[in-house]
Amino acid sequence: MIMSLPEEDLTCPVCCDIFRDPVLLSCSHSFCRNCLKQCWDTRIRECPVCRRKGSKSPPPSNLALKNLCEALQQMRRQNSLEEQVRCSLHGEKLKLFCLADEQPICVVCQASKLHKNHDCSPVEEALLNCKKKLEFALKSLQSKMENLKGMYKTSGDMFTYIKYQSLETQRRIKSQFELLHQALCDEESARTEALKKEEEEKVVAIKEKMNKLSAEILSVTETMSAIERQLKEDDIILLKNFKATQDRDRDILGGLDDMSGSLIDVTKHLSNLKYRVWEKILDNVDYTSVTLDPSTAHPCLVLSDDLTSLHYSKQPSCCPDNPKRFHVSAEVVGMTSLGSGSHHWVVETGSNQDWLLGVASLSVSRNTEVSARPENGFWTLCFRDGELRAMSSPPTLLTVSSKPEQVKVHLDYNKGTVSFFDPVDNLLLYAFSQTFTEPLLPYFYTQNSHPLRILPEKVLITVLQQ
């Protein structure tokens, strides 16, 4: 009966497609329910064909026509499925799956030279294996999607923090340059411009990273949707499309690297700033041999603008995470690693009643809390509860007449010694002896609101005359 009807009798006059949920008007014309609603929403309530005014009540469904259209659609699907399950070359039913080409084939294909030496399996057996592979790929992509979303959020946080870093660094640069003579204005402008250029480069880099993450998220989403559709398809259709789906999964980019190096290098702009412009001013130039690395500072540590002092705050800062930062204990290390030669610096402890000073190995853990002792890569002096101790194994209680207001740390890397002195009378407090196997970093810890301050050294300029 369906085949005897011309297709135009089953076609909606509005959308020119097979009727979907047809309704019947009093003039005997039929339309898709949605098509008629759209027409009546934009013009008066009349038949789109004969213009006869329609009733105010909703038109009834044309059930007979609906059944005919659904039967026609079902017949089309069956014919399409029948074509899909037969070989396009030989017309035979697809009963085998070529493991080499990952495609369903017929028995004639198997005997042909194209697949003659290929291993094949029944489609039922291949279907189970292919479904397992696709389900595993889907789970892997779902896990990857979660990681990508986390990385995208971290990128967004870093984007915001870079802007903050830029503004804060500009403020610090300005505060230091205000202490200098007017002759330094040109130098200030040059350094501010360098910061702005780095900011632009970092912002461009993080935007590109975020764009790549967005593109990969979209790609993963589309691939996941394709696999989910595949898993709902007919078995043979799934097998026919399996290789294309697998190839699409392989084309997805690997996970992006971490965010190391994304932030502005604040120390490049602030470290020893006044010393590096000493040619502009010959008097009152302070040089600090050790400056703190803000990228390593625990969020509860507050560093000074010139990166030479630190104190503890119960209110942590909103700084983004990075692999260099101490996460558990209120610690920070210096900017420059020390891998040879002799080095010293003096720290003013003042009223601070809870501190550790010394050196730490470059590879010390930043994510776990460990004792600051030599076996863990620390050589430190500790003042706590009114007692001074060298953090040896076990700790050594030191007898002193009074708490030192200043502590001089002296590292002789080649000789393998770390010594602590009271610089007022150059009294040796304690000395470690160790064979170092990796570079060391100046190390600081405090959980006290009073600051620890690295004291500057005087710079002597000597002119050699020919």
Side-chain angles (χ1 to χ4, degrees):
M1 176 180 177
I2 297 175
M3 298 301 295
S4 64
L5 288 174
E7 187 170 313
E8 55 266 23
D9 290 345
L10 302 177
T11 301
C12 172
V14 176
C15 65
C16 300
D17 201 355
I18 302 300
F19 284 107
R20 292 182 178 85
D21 192 12
V23 295
L24 180 65
L25 300 184
S26 58
C27 60
S28 298
H29 289 121
S30 295
F31 305 92
C32 297
R33 187 179 298 278
N34 286 338
C35 293
L36 183 63
K37 181 179 182 301
Q38 292 176 3
C39 291
W40 284 2
D41 287 343
T42 57
R43 62 180 72 145
I44 61 175
R45 200 178 182 89
E46 63 181 14
C47 174
V49 174
C50 65
R51 304 302 181 188
R52 180 176 176 179
K53 289 187 177 181
S55 172
K56 291 184 179 181
S57 59
S61 297
N62 192 337
L63 296 179
L65 183 58
K66 180 180 180 182
N67 292 335
L68 286 174
C69 292
E70 289 178 351
L72 175 62
Q73 296 283 25
Q74 179 65 23
M75 184 177 67
R76 285 182 174 180
R77 286 193 292 269
Q78 289 178 350
N79 292 338
S80 175
L81 182 60
E82 183 66 24
E83 293 177 0
Q84 291 283 341
V85 298
R86 292 191 176 276
C87 178
S88 59
L89 295 177
H90 308 106
E92 297 291 332
K93 194 170 183 180
L94 299 172
K95 295 182 177 180
L96 300 172
F97 185 75
C98 177
L99 300 178
D101 295 328
E102 296 183 329
Q103 285 289 330
I105 60 174
C106 68
V107 292
V108 180
C109 290
Q110 184 187 26
S112 68
K113 64 179 182 180
L114 188 62
H115 299 280
K116 188 172 183 179
N117 296 321
H118 293 175
D119 292 333
C120 299
S121 65
V123 292
E124 295 81 5
E125 179 182 329
L127 178 64
L128 294 176
N129 293 333
C130 291
K131 277 189 174 182
K132 288 181 180 179
K133 290 181 180 180
L134 289 177
E135 288 170 352
F136 177 80
L138 180 60
K139 290 181 179 178
S140 176
L141 288 171
Q142 288 170 340
S143 176
K144 188 174 186 178
M145 172 65 79
E146 293 300 317
N147 292 335
L148 288 171
K149 287 180 178 179
M151 292 176 67
Y152 185 86
K153 182 180 182 303
T154 301
S155 298
D157 293 341
M158 283 195 170
F159 178 84
T160 302
Y161 194 71
I162 286 173
K163 303 296 289 185
Y164 162 77
Q165 276 191 306
S166 175
L167 295 174
E168 180 66 11
T169 304
Q170 288 185 57
R171 181 191 68 79
R172 294 181 182 185
I173 290 175
K174 187 173 180 63
S175 68
Q176 290 198 31
F177 270 90
E178 286 175 351
L179 301 176
L180 304 177
H181 192 268
Q182 184 62 36
L184 297 178
C185 288
D186 292 340
E187 182 72 6
E188 180 183 8
S189 299
R191 293 186 179 277
T192 303
E193 188 63 28
L195 172 65
K196 289 182 179 179
K197 181 179 178 181
E198 183 175 358
E199 176 198 353
E200 292 173 359
E201 292 173 352
K202 297 293 186 179
V203 168
V204 168
I206 204 70
K207 281 184 177 180
E208 289 177 355
K209 185 167 289 186
M210 293 174 70
N211 289 337
K212 290 179 181 179
L213 287 170
S214 296
E216 190 163 0
I217 288 174
L218 178 60
S219 176
V220 172
T221 301
E222 292 175 351
T223 305
M224 290 172 59
S225 299
I227 292 178
E228 289 171 346
R229 289 195 300 271
Q230 277 289 94
L231 293 172
K232 295 177 182 178
E233 290 285 357
D234 182 83
D235 297 348
I236 295 299
I237 297 175
L238 183 148
L239 294 174
K240 291 191 73 175
N241 296 327
F242 175 74
K243 186 175 186 300
T245 304
Q246 287 285 85
D247 292 342
R248 181 173 181 175
D249 181 27
R250 296 187 190 107
D251 290 338
I252 296 176
L253 295 174
L256 301 182
D257 57 7
D258 60 25
M259 302 301 172
S260 298
S262 297
L263 298 179
I264 290 175
D265 189 357
V266 178
T267 54
K268 180 179 67 176
H269 299 281
L270 299 177
S271 175
N272 298 318
L273 183 58
K274 289 185 285 186
Y275 174 74
R276 286 183 286 132
V277 295
W278 64 270
E279 288 180 318
K280 300 292 179 69
I281 51 170
L282 299 181
D283 297 321
N284 301 318
V285 175
D286 292 336
Y287 168 69
T288 309
S289 59
V290 170
T291 51
L292 306 173
D293 186 350
S295 296
T296 69
H298 186 275
C300 287
L301 287 182
V302 180
L303 308 187
S304 63
D305 287 355
D306 60 0
L307 306 178
T308 61
S309 72
L310 65 146
H311 70 271
Y312 183 82
S313 172
K314 293 182 179 179
Q315 184 64 38
S317 61
C318 299
C319 52
D321 193 11
N322 76 85
K324 296 170 60 178
R325 192 178 305 283
F326 287 94
H327 300 91
V328 180
S329 187
E331 302 163 279
V332 64
V333 292
M335 177 194 69
T336 306
S337 61
L338 311 174
S340 63
S342 178
H343 311 269
H344 73 271
W345 56 96
V346 178
V347 181
E348 184 180 67
T349 59
S351 301
N352 193 304
Q353 301 296 313
D354 186 4
W355 50 260
L356 278 86
L357 303 172
V359 294
S361 297
L362 190 64
S363 63
V364 293
S365 175
R366 313 287 172 101
N367 296 313
T368 57
E369 185 174 10
V370 296
S371 298
R373 298 183 185 179
E375 63 267 24
N376 297 322
F378 296 87
W379 294 268
T380 61
L381 201 66
C382 172
F383 185 80
R384 182 173 295 160
D385 299 328
E387 295 180 334
L388 186 66
R389 286 183 170 84
M391 296 303 291
S392 52
S393 298
T396 302
L397 180 64
L398 304 180
T399 303
V400 291
S401 58
S402 62
K403 179 184 82 72
E405 297 294 321
Q406 297 178 4
V407 174
K408 178 181 178 181
V409 183
H410 183 268
L411 166 67
D412 192 321
Y413 190 93
N414 298 336
K415 291 183 178 179
T417 60
V418 180
S419 306
F420 299 90
F421 297 88
D422 185 339
V424 175
D425 52 11
N426 204 33
L427 174 67
L428 176 64
L429 300 173
Y430 192 82
F432 290 94
S433 181
Q434 181 78 38
T435 300
F436 302 118
T437 58
E438 61 176 295
L440 304 177
L441 293 167
Y443 171 81
F444 305 84
Y445 161 91
T446 185
Q447 202 162 334
N448 192 280
S449 59
H450 294 283
L452 298 175
R453 187 166 72 95
I454 305 167
L455 296 180
E457 302 176 18
K458 281 292 183 181
V459 177
L460 300 179
I461 301 173
T462 303
V463 178
L464 299 178
Q465 296 182 350
Q466 296 291 337

